[in-house]
């Protein structure tokens, strides 16, 4: 740590990584918990694979994950950003948003803890649902969600209340849906219903592509309907 007036450095230890169905950022839900069917796994690094560190965690239904926006690490930062939820047309203070482009690229996600798996080659691992993280995202910490302290029913939502959250109607032809592993289908439909497109892209003629569970999903959107037009093995 530098002296007074100097830059302070607080080294963070990466304790593990997330294993999810998203190999790229495109398509990942914009917040955790929006698609509960999404399953992911927290895999600890060898030096933190100690079952004692997880003792009692199975008693909690939800946990907090503290992680790094590993694809958004940069030296410079801006005091204002353009939240996608506002269409990218309005600037707000970075600390009033959850933008990845911040002085410290830290993310915070509340996920459901489905299982603590103590056995296996990478054990112990955590099976979670509702995660909004790309595969390989570094995890800095795991903390239990404590309802009496973490839940605030009277909280206000700032600018997030200004835009109504809407779900698209997903048209997924049966012959294409059959190409998706059965245990991933509802999660994929949930992801698509949440409109994975960037907020500034609304071209009905455009065909979008996203990677999911080793597949390449191509789709178009017209109005409130999303139509899947191709499913192929990812590259």
């Amino acid at each position: 740590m530098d002296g007074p007036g100097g830059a302070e450095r607080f080294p963070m230890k990466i304790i593990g990584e997330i294993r999810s169905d998203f190999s790229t950022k495109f398509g990942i839900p914009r917040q955790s918990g929006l698609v509960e069917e999404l399953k992911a796994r927290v895999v600890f690094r060898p030096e933190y694979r100690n079952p004692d560190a997880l003792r009692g965690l199975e008693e909690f239904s939800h946990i907090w994950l503290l992680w790094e926006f590993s694809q958004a690490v940069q030296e410079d930062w801006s005091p204002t950003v353009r939240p996608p939820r506002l269409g990218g047309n309005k600037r707000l203070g970075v600390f009033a948003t959850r933008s990845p482009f911040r002085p410290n690229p830290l993310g915070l996600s509340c996920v459901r803890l489905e299982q603590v798996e103590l056995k296996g080659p990478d054990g112990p691992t955590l099976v979670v649902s509702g995660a909004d993280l790309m595969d390989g995202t570094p995890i800095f910490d795991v903390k239990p969600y404590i309802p009496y302290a973490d839940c605030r029913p009277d909280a206000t939502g700032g600018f997030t209340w200004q835009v109504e959250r809407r779900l698209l109607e997903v048209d997924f032809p049966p012959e294409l849906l059959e190409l998706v592993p059965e245990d991933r289908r509802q999660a994929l439909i949930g992801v698509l219903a949440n409109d994975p497109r960037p907020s500034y892209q609304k071209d009905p003629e455009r065909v979008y592509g996203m990677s999911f569970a080793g597949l390449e999903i191509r789709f178009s959107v017209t109005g409130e309907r999303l139509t899947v037009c191709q499913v192929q093995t990812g590259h």
Side-chain angles (χ1 to χ4, degrees):
M1 179 181 296
D2 294 340
E8 296 182 347
R9 298 291 181 185
F10 186 80
M12 300 275 285
K13 295 182 175 65
I14 297 176
I15 65 170
E17 290 82 27
I18 199 79
R19 297 297 174 218
S20 75
D21 286 324
F22 294 100
S23 60
T24 66
K25 294 186 296 182
F26 190 92
I28 297 177
R30 294 179 175 88
Q31 299 294 338
S32 60
L34 295 182
V35 184
E36 286 287 352
E37 294 86 357
L38 281 174
K39 295 294 191 298
R41 188 180 300 270
V42 177
V43 178
F44 294 94
R45 292 194 168 181
E47 61 267 39
Y48 301 107
R49 291 176 187 172
N50 188 329
D52 287 339
L54 302 175
R55 189 184 303 171
L57 189 63
E58 73 281 355
E59 299 177 7
F60 293 88
S61 66
H62 292 74
I63 57 176
W64 291 104
L65 300 179
L66 182 65
W67 48 277
E68 180 185 48
F69 285 105
S70 53
Q71 300 298 305
V73 177
Q74 55 187 22
E75 289 295 327
D76 299 325
W77 71 285
S78 171
T80 62
V81 295
R82 300 178 185 270
R85 192 173 177 86
L86 296 179
N89 299 317
K90 181 179 179 180
R91 283 194 172 273
L92 291 178
V94 65
F95 298 132
T97 74
R98 295 190 176 184
S99 167
F101 304 106
R102 38 200 331 113
N104 292 303
L106 298 179
L108 184 68
S109 296
C110 179
V111 297
R112 175 178 288 277
L113 178 61
E114 299 288 350
Q115 186 177 3
V116 178
E117 291 188 346
L118 298 178
K119 299 181 179 180
D122 298 325
T125 60
L126 304 179
V127 180
V128 300
S129 61
D132 56 338
L133 288 80
M134 188 175 70
D135 186 63
T137 295
I139 303 295
F140 289 129
D141 204 1
V142 175
K143 297 179 184 292
Y145 177 93
I146 303 175
Y148 81 84
D150 294 342
C151 181
R152 291 288 184 264
D154 59 340
T156 57
F159 76 89
T160 64
W161 281 3
Q162 298 176 25
V163 181
E164 182 181 1
R165 179 178 171 235
R166 62 182 180 84
L167 296 177
L168 298 177
E169 183 177 349
V170 178
D171 182 4
F172 210 133
E175 65 274 15
L176 296 180
L177 187 59
E178 288 181 357
L179 301 176
V180 180
E182 188 172 357
D183 63 343
R184 298 290 201 277
R185 292 175 187 173
Q186 288 306 311
L188 175 57
I189 291 173
V191 169
L192 296 173
N194 274 272
D195 196 351
R197 299 173 300 167
S199 298
Y200 55 84
Q201 293 184 0
K202 302 296 183 183
D203 184 0
E205 302 298 322
R206 179 167 182 171
V207 175
Y208 300 87
M210 60 170 278
S211 298
F212 181 81
L215 300 171
E216 188 71 17
I217 313 298
R218 299 193 180 279
F219 64 90
S220 60
V221 181
T222 302
E224 302 297 309
R225 178 182 290 274
L226 180 150
T227 301
V228 177
C229 53
Q230 188 176 27
V231 175
Q232 62 183 19
T233 302
H235 300 290

